[in-house]
Amino acid sequence: MIDASDPNAPEQAKTVKKVLEEIGANEKESLVVLNKIDAVEAAAQQSAAGMPGLESRALEALRSDFPDAIETSAVTKKGLDLLKEKISAIIRR
């Protein structure tokens, strides 16, 4: 679970990935979840027209680094059904 609204999110995600590798857990199936996506999208929309702001560049970077990530928002409920489906599928295996 990555707090997509945190400016340090990419670095934190890299640190988590490194720790998972160090403990041998990187071999396990996992999901990457970009949470608080509503906050990032709202900030990106507020940036000046035609001038991507820091928030939109950060979101683009997260999407690029984690193309299979599930984008969620507890506030708007975006992506929660998909997340439940993915977790259920993993559990059934």
Side-chain angles (χ1 to χ4, degrees):
M1 178 89 48
I2 300 170
D3 179 350
S5 69
D6 187 326
N8 295 317
E11 189 59 37
Q12 291 173 3
K14 288 177 187 173
T15 300
V16 169
K17 185 176 180 179
K18 181 180 176 189
V19 170
L20 291 174
E21 289 172 0
E22 289 173 358
I23 64 172
N26 61 319
E27 308 265 333
K28 303 284 184 184
E29 186 171 5
S30 63
L31 297 172
V32 175
V33 180
L34 299 177
N35 194 31
K36 298 187 181 178
I37 202 70
D38 58 304
V40 180
E41 289 175 337
Q45 289 174 354
Q46 290 176 358
S47 64
M51 303 273 299
L54 179 61
E55 294 85 2
S56 72
R57 286 193 300 274
L59 182 55
E60 288 170 12
L62 285 170
R63 286 175 171 160
S64 175
D65 289 346
F66 305 102
D68 296 325
I70 300 168
E71 297 182 6
T72 64
S73 166
V75 173
T76 67
K77 310 292 187 239
K78 177 181 180 179
L80 296 183
D81 288 338
L82 176 60
L83 179 58
K84 289 177 196 176
E85 290 173 21
K86 296 285 188 176
I87 291 170
S88 293
I90 290 171
I91 291 171
R92 285 192 298 268
R93 292 185 196 148

